[in-house]
Amino acid sequence: MNGRPPLEQIAALSGLLSRLTLVLVVVASVALVFTASNVTMFAIDHHVSVWIAWLLDPMVAVALGTVLIFDGRLSEYGLYPSGWATVLRWFAGLGTWVMNCWTSLWPAGSSFGIPREVDPAGLVLHSVPPVLLIVLAEAISHYPVSFTHLTLPPNPMVVISVSAVSFI
């Protein structure tokens, strides 16, 4: 790749992947804090008990975070989860987006249906973190695969050697 010894390159790429993962986790965490406050207020405004309202977004966030972590780890080994993991990512992301943007699409007093009284600024402000989470959820599992391809030679052959083992 760049003239450095292969083990040094692998260590550098592993460090880069660790830093990238940390940055993505920080971005996801900040976005989730933003969405948690919006979703909690949305639920309270719709007469959900405060004791229940604050649980809604963390429930979605834990599901999304879990699938992000596991999809990323599996992709490091070249394994890809079923389509249900994608369904979970998109359901959690879109559910968060709708709950965050509800009041910008259907202000109090407007009827449900095709939004006719959209608050453009509110829609943009409340869309960025949930859409960021959706895109992050899709992108995060591809980075480890890219790094794995960089650190493995093309068409690697696995050589297994077994040595004699003595039992006492």
Side-chain angles (χ1 to χ4, degrees), residues 96-108:
T96 299
W97 178 78
V98 168
M99 289 185 286
N100 269 274
C101 294
W102 188 273
T103 56
S104 297
L105 293 168
W106 298 282

Side-chain angles (χ1 to χ4, degrees), residues 24-25 43 50 69 84 100 104 107 115 129 136 149-150 156 166:
L24 293 176
V25 166
V50 174
I69 291 166
W84 284 108
N100 269 274
S104 297
L136 180 67
H149 290 301
L150 289 173
S166 62

Side-chain angles (χ1 to χ4, degrees), residues 18-96:
S18 294
R19 288 188 298 280
L20 175 64
T21 301
L22 178 64
V23 168
L24 293 176
V25 166
V26 169
V27 169
S29 299
V30 171
L32 288 169
V33 167
F34 177 89
T35 63
S37 61
N38 284 334
V39 170
T40 301
M41 294 308 299
F42 169 73
I44 290 170
D45 287 346
H46 285 81
H47 312 292
V48 174
S49 164
V50 174
W51 300 105
I52 302 298
W54 74 270
L55 291 172
L56 185 57
D57 196 70
M59 178 176 38
V60 173
V62 168
L64 185 58
T66 301
V67 77
L68 287 175
I69 291 166
F70 279 90
D71 283 2
R73 293 297 298 178
L74 288 173
S75 70
E76 289 179 33
Y77 299 102
L79 302 172
Y80 300 96
S82 72
W84 284 108
T86 302
V87 170
L88 175 58
R89 286 193 310 267
W90 277 89
F91 178 78
L94 289 174
T96 299

Side-chain angles (χ1 to χ4, degrees), residues 2-11:
N2 61 10
R4 295 193 304 188
L7 290 178
E8 189 179 312
Q9 291 178 32
I10 291 171

Side-chain angles (χ1 to χ4, degrees), residues 11 43 107 122 134:
I134 293 169

